[in-house]
Amino acid sequence: PFASRKSVKEKAVLRLREFDVGDKFSRLPLPRASVLLPLMVREGKLHLLLTVRSMQLRRSPGEVCFPGGKSEAIDKDEIDTALREAKEEVGLQPEKVEVICRLVPGIDKMNHLVTPVVGFIEDTFQAIPNPDEVSDVFIVPLEYFVKPLNYKTLPYKTSSGHLSWVHCFTYDDHEHKMSFRIWGLTAHFAVFLALVIFGKRPTFEVDYDLDNLISSSENNFMNLYASLYERKKSNL
């Protein structure tokens, strides 16, 4: 099993490195945030760790997300932000994360530039959720984000009033005997991660050219950014 575990991870790492954007988008004039996409190999398959935001939080209480948050002055870069936040939220020590790459960013509803940082963690990791920020931590097979059992799209209005559709997954976690709803930017990042690593067509529609995933994901992002920028100008 160790050999197969290693090869599952090595294949994923090779694919991820092809999609590393580094600091290509870091200079865009938007407030910055980062999330950590923590991958692990369990029973020969890739899994992704997610958290549920505490009900006491002002913003998006009870929603599923990745460990992460806003950039602070002490952070050298997006990777630092993601690792610091993961430590604060779930007790994940930075040295226990093997950082692989940064993927194409997204823009959240507060207009932060959100960079997804992908890293591998041990499958033995025991989360210690900080109750002020996180109410639950759970793990989903990465393949669920290309072959879900329970999926729909939800209409979503951006701050500019632009209507688009977002992925929404419902995942039944037998370990917790709970169902989790994963949608919005979190689902967007999870789907993209799964497309990158598995390189196969999902069972639902995505707005990427799957034969040119790198360029189409960057183009989608730049179009989103451009529409935001146009709006800012028109609001002045």
Side-chain angles (χ1 to χ4, degrees):
F2 179 70
S4 70
R5 186 161 110 196
K6 208 169 136 203
S7 67
V8 164
K9 181 180 161 184
E10 279 171 1
K11 273 200 199 103
V13 168
L14 287 174
R15 291 278 302 172
L16 287 164
R17 293 235 160 98
E18 287 176 46
F19 285 81
D20 188 3
V21 299
D23 59 3
K24 186 171 183 175
F25 299 101
S26 303
R27 293 179 212 12
L28 293 176
L30 290 174
R32 298 209 306 222
S34 286
V35 290
L36 182 67
L37 278 49
L39 281 168
M40 62 176 76
V41 183
R42 216 173 236 193
E43 290 161 6
K45 287 196 161 82
L46 292 167
H47 288 71
L48 199 49
L49 179 138
L50 290 135
T51 67
V52 181
R53 290 171 64 85
S54 157
M55 291 309 283
Q56 302 143 356
L57 291 170
R58 270 205 330 270
R59 240 173 15 97
S60 313
E63 288 199 1
V64 169
C65 62
F66 290 110
K70 290 201 284 264
S71 165
E72 290 181 8
I74 52 169
D75 302 333
K76 280 203 313 288
D77 57 15
E78 296 95 342
I79 295 171
D80 258 17
T81 305
L83 294 177
R84 176 181 53 72
E85 288 281 348
K87 183 181 174 185
E88 287 170 17
E89 290 178 15
V90 296
L92 178 59
Q93 298 301 324
E95 65 276 8
K96 296 281 188 201
V97 184
E98 185 190 341
V99 173
I100 308 298
C101 67
R102 284 172 271 189
L103 297 176
V104 174
I107 297 173
D108 71 6
K109 41 185 183 275
M110 314 288 289
N111 293 337
H112 287 93
L113 180 75
V114 185
T115 299
V117 175
V118 185
F120 271 90
I121 63 173
E122 289 299 326
D123 67 329
T124 51
F125 169 66
Q126 293 290 323
I128 305 162
N130 169 352
D132 296 335
E133 300 194 42
V134 172
S135 64
D136 254 307
V137 177
F138 65 105
I139 285 166
V140 181
L142 183 61
E143 201 172 36
Y144 198 82
F145 297 106
V146 283
K147 280 206 309 207
L149 296 172
N150 191 332
Y151 170 87
K152 59 178 192 279
T153 53
L154 292 178
Y156 172 75
K157 224 180 188 136
T158 63
S159 48
S160 63
H162 173 72
L163 190 70
S164 66
W165 293 89
V166 296
H167 303 297
C168 179
F169 299 85
T170 303
Y171 178 69
D172 294 323
D173 183 339
H174 302 300
E175 204 179 319
H176 286 71
K177 304 202 171 19
M178 278 168 81
S179 282
F180 295 103
R181 194 172 89 142
I182 307 160
W183 71 291
L185 196 56
T186 302
H188 168 82
F189 286 150
V191 167
F192 187 64
L193 182 67
L195 292 175
V196 165
I197 290 177
F198 297 125
K200 60 182 177 195
R201 293 190 177 274
T203 56
F204 50 88
E205 290 293 310
V206 287
D207 52 2
Y208 298 113
D209 170 359
L210 293 173
D211 300 317
N212 299 295
L213 191 52
I214 294 181
S215 55
S216 84
S217 59
E218 294 192 0
N219 290 343
N220 284 5
F221 170 72
M222 286 315 294
N223 290 338
L224 177 68
Y225 173 70
S227 69
L228 182 80
Y229 192 75
E230 282 306 306
R231 251 196 359 263
K232 275 193 175 150
K233 282 204 313 212
S234 65
N235 288 346
L236 291 175

